[in-house]
Amino acid sequence: MEIVLRAAAIYVIVFLFFRLSGKRTMAQLTAFDLVLLLIVSEATQQAILSDDLSLFGGALAVLTLVMLERASDTLSWRSGRFDRLFNGGAVILVEDGKPLRDRMRKYRLSDDEIVQEARATQGLERMDQIKYAVLEQTGSISVVPKSD
Amino acid sequence: MPELKREGDIELAQDLDYERRAYTTRKVATVFFVLLILAGLLGLLGRSGPLSDASASDGSRLEVSYERFLRMDSATEVEVAIGAGSGPTEIAVDSDYLEGFNVSGINVEPKSTMVEGDRVVYVFDQTAPSQVTFVLEPEELGFQSATVYGPAGAELSFDQWVWP
């Protein structure tokens, strides 16, 4: 019983920490993000398994985490409210070439990051060529170019 | 699934009211996380720190050094110092307190251990002044009250809190 409860508790705690830290954390992996993920996995391993190093103990912990993920996916699909709570929603950051500063400030995004995404995905050169730039649920930025 | 709304020429699941509430929640959470880290640095969450390290003394006969805040399954040390006197060192600890811990080590190794009423008595093969360190691993959460007994009726009480 203990290992299931520990795994569930760690899942909720890690989810809350990352969810409350802001959407962009979960988007593109920088070197720092990768180091952070590696350290988090090491730090949580002992908390989940404690002194149980058995095969069944490890399998039970993994199963608990996988089923919790499955449950959250199902709840997100069935309930728009839960989906928004769990995953957030999309937010328009640039509209008709004009950056929406207040929203960009809240998500700590710069013009350069948006133009960089526009350049990489759409081959655009300037902000005024962007019709819409949207911060997606995943934390990535999608760009819709203006039609010529 | 979230409802798609039309904003200009684009359809997306945008909810600005939710985003405003989420932003406020993130700000509050950030403050809480910073306070949590500060609490950890100060020792309030266990494993040493200026607000956790403590000691109690009756003046000359008995002194106990301990940590106020502990964590489950994470070893802590309780140091008991006996002042100058005569005869072998005898330290007693109340049984109720020890039931909440796994005694994983005692430095110095006791010559004998016995249960007397509601206490566990440890007899050491050395005369006072002396210092004995008990290495304890908490096995129960929450508030733990301890009383340590030394020679000539000396006794000291202290409290500890065990986090998960």
Side-chain angles (χ1 to χ4, degrees), chain B residues 143-160:
Chain B
F143 202 62
Q144 306 293 330
S145 250
T147 305
V148 176
Y149 305 88
E155 69 177 74
L156 286 172
S157 295
F158 59 91
D159 298 320
Q160 295 173 310

Side-chain angles (χ1 to χ4, degrees), chain A residues 6 17 19-20 22 76-77 80 83-85 88-92 103 105-107 131-132 134, chain B residues 1-3 7-10 12-16 18-20 23 25-26 29-30 33 36 73:
Chain A
R6 279 173 174 269
F17 282 171
R19 183 78 180 90
L20 291 171
S76 296
W77 184 76
D83 183 50
R84 201 160 34 241
L85 194 67
V91 177
I92 298 174
R103 297 177 195 182
R105 180 183 57 81
K106 284 179 178 174
Y107 286 100
K131 188 172 183 182
Y132 291 106
V134 178
Chain B
M1 285 181 290
E3 195 184 305
E7 300 281 343
D9 290 335
I10 194 168
L12 74 172
Q14 177 175 262
D15 185 338
L16 293 178
Y18 166 80
E19 293 299 331
R20 265 189 291 275
Y23 176 70
T25 305
R26 281 200 301 277
T30 301
F33 291 155
L36 213 56
D73 300 328

Side-chain angles (χ1 to χ4, degrees), chain A residues 34-97:
Chain A
L34 184 61
V35 167
L36 180 65
L37 280 176
L38 289 171
I39 293 173
V40 165
S41 71
E42 282 299 312
T44 53
Q45 179 208 338
Q46 199 64 41
I48 293 173
L49 295 177
S50 186
D51 56 357
D52 185 346
L53 302 177
S54 67
L55 180 63
F56 268 42
L60 194 55
V62 170
L63 184 64
T64 304
L65 294 171
V66 167
M67 293 314 293
L68 280 170
E69 183 65 16
R70 178 91 181 264
S72 72
D73 272 349
T74 305
L75 270 171
S76 296
W77 184 76
R78 284 175 182 268
S79 161
R81 210 166 167 179
F82 189 88
D83 183 50
R84 201 160 34 241
L85 194 67
F86 211 74
N87 300 310
V91 177
I92 298 174
L93 299 173
V94 175
E95 189 166 8
D96 198 29

Side-chain angles (χ1 to χ4, degrees), chain B residues 128-146:
Chain B
S130 57
Q131 183 169 299
V132 176
T133 303
F134 293 83
V135 182
L136 307 172
E137 289 174 4
E139 291 183 334
E140 283 180 8
L141 292 174
F143 202 62
Q144 306 293 330
S145 250

